[in-house]
PDB file of all heavy atoms in Angstrom:
ATOM      1  N   LYS B  64      -6.680 -23.597  -1.143  1.00  0.00           N
ATOM      2  CA  LYS B  64      -5.918 -24.825  -1.288  1.00  0.00           C
ATOM      3  C   LYS B  64      -5.157 -24.884  -2.609  1.00  0.00           C
ATOM      4  O   LYS B  64      -4.057 -25.374  -2.689  1.00  0.00           O
ATOM      5  CB  LYS B  64      -6.794 -25.993  -1.170  1.00  0.00           C
ATOM      6  CG  LYS B  64      -7.393 -26.187   0.317  1.00  0.00           C
ATOM      7  CD  LYS B  64      -8.378 -27.293   0.350  1.00  0.00           C
ATOM      8  CE  LYS B  64      -8.983 -27.399   1.780  1.00  0.00           C
ATOM      9  NZ  LYS B  64     -10.086 -28.379   1.847  1.00  0.00           N
ATOM     10  N   MET B  65      -5.774 -24.446  -3.655  1.00  0.00           N
ATOM     11  CA  MET B  65      -5.168 -24.425  -4.970  1.00  0.00           C
ATOM     12  C   MET B  65      -3.858 -23.584  -4.972  1.00  0.00           C
ATOM     13  O   MET B  65      -2.836 -24.036  -5.536  1.00  0.00           O
ATOM     14  CB  MET B  65      -6.117 -23.868  -6.080  1.00  0.00           C
ATOM     15  CG  MET B  65      -7.217 -24.823  -6.399  1.00  0.00           C
ATOM     16  SD  MET B  65      -8.317 -23.960  -7.607  1.00  0.00           S
ATOM     17  CE  MET B  65      -9.541 -25.209  -7.818  1.00  0.00           C
ATOM     18  N   ILE B  66      -3.984 -22.376  -4.348  1.00  0.00           N
ATOM     19  CA  ILE B  66      -2.837 -21.450  -4.329  1.00  0.00           C
ATOM     20  C   ILE B  66      -1.710 -22.095  -3.534  1.00  0.00           C
ATOM     21  O   ILE B  66      -0.598 -22.034  -4.046  1.00  0.00           O
ATOM     22  CB  ILE B  66      -3.341 -20.198  -3.631  1.00  0.00           C
ATOM     23  CG1 ILE B  66      -4.283 -19.425  -4.590  1.00  0.00           C
ATOM     24  CG2 ILE B  66      -2.098 -19.227  -3.308  1.00  0.00           C
ATOM     25  CD1 ILE B  66      -4.965 -18.178  -3.915  1.00  0.00           C
ATOM     26  N   LEU B  67      -1.952 -22.799  -2.501  1.00  0.00           N
ATOM     27  CA  LEU B  67      -0.839 -23.371  -1.699  1.00  0.00           C
ATOM     28  C   LEU B  67      -0.381 -24.582  -2.481  1.00  0.00           C
ATOM     29  O   LEU B  67       0.856 -24.897  -2.404  1.00  0.00           O
ATOM     30  CB  LEU B  67      -1.436 -23.803  -0.346  1.00  0.00           C
ATOM     31  CG  LEU B  67      -1.875 -22.649   0.585  1.00  0.00           C
ATOM     32  CD1 LEU B  67      -2.498 -23.167   1.874  1.00  0.00           C
ATOM     33  CD2 LEU B  67      -0.681 -21.742   0.881  1.00  0.00           C
ATOM     34  N   ALA B  68      -1.213 -25.319  -3.091  1.00  0.00           N
ATOM     35  CA  ALA B  68      -0.831 -26.552  -3.906  1.00  0.00           C
ATOM     36  C   ALA B  68       0.164 -26.282  -4.997  1.00  0.00           C
ATOM     37  O   ALA B  68       1.009 -27.105  -5.318  1.00  0.00           O
ATOM     38  CB  ALA B  68      -2.021 -27.267  -4.370  1.00  0.00           C
ATOM     39  N   ILE B  69       0.089 -25.112  -5.592  1.00  0.00           N
ATOM     40  CA  ILE B  69       0.982 -24.743  -6.680  1.00  0.00           C
ATOM     41  C   ILE B  69       2.207 -23.933  -6.169  1.00  0.00           C
ATOM     42  O   ILE B  69       2.806 -23.233  -6.919  1.00  0.00           O
ATOM     43  CB  ILE B  69       0.343 -24.069  -7.949  1.00  0.00           C
ATOM     44  CG1 ILE B  69      -0.415 -22.831  -7.495  1.00  0.00           C
ATOM     45  CG2 ILE B  69      -0.650 -25.129  -8.523  1.00  0.00           C
ATOM     46  CD1 ILE B  69      -0.994 -22.070  -8.700  1.00  0.00           C
ATOM     47  N   ASN B  70       2.284 -23.984  -4.782  1.00  0.00           N
ATOM     48  CA  ASN B  70       3.547 -23.294  -4.253  1.00  0.00           C
ATOM     49  C   ASN B  70       3.570 -21.819  -4.284  1.00  0.00           C
ATOM     50  O   ASN B  70       4.605 -21.195  -4.439  1.00  0.00           O
ATOM     51  CB  ASN B  70       4.869 -23.956  -4.777  1.00  0.00           C
ATOM     52  CG  ASN B  70       4.950 -25.403  -4.446  1.00  0.00           C
ATOM     53  OD1 ASN B  70       4.492 -25.877  -3.355  1.00  0.00           O
ATOM     54  ND2 ASN B  70       5.456 -26.123  -5.401  1.00  0.00           N
ATOM     55  N   LEU B  71       2.406 -21.197  -4.284  1.00  0.00           N
ATOM     56  CA  LEU B  71       2.318 -19.758  -4.205  1.00  0.00           C
ATOM     57  C   LEU B  71       1.912 -19.265  -2.823  1.00  0.00           C
ATOM     58  O   LEU B  71       1.168 -20.080  -2.105  1.00  0.00           O
ATOM     59  CB  LEU B  71       1.305 -19.202  -5.250  1.00  0.00           C
ATOM     60  CG  LEU B  71       1.626 -19.432  -6.682  1.00  0.00           C
ATOM     61  CD1 LEU B  71       0.525 -18.930  -7.560  1.00  0.00           C
ATOM     62  CD2 LEU B  71       2.934 -18.764  -7.072  1.00  0.00           C
TER      63      LEU B  71
END
Side-chain angles (χ1 to χ4, degrees):
K64 292 174 185 174
M65 289 175 181
I66 291 168
L67 296 175
I69 58 173
N70 299 321
L71 295 177

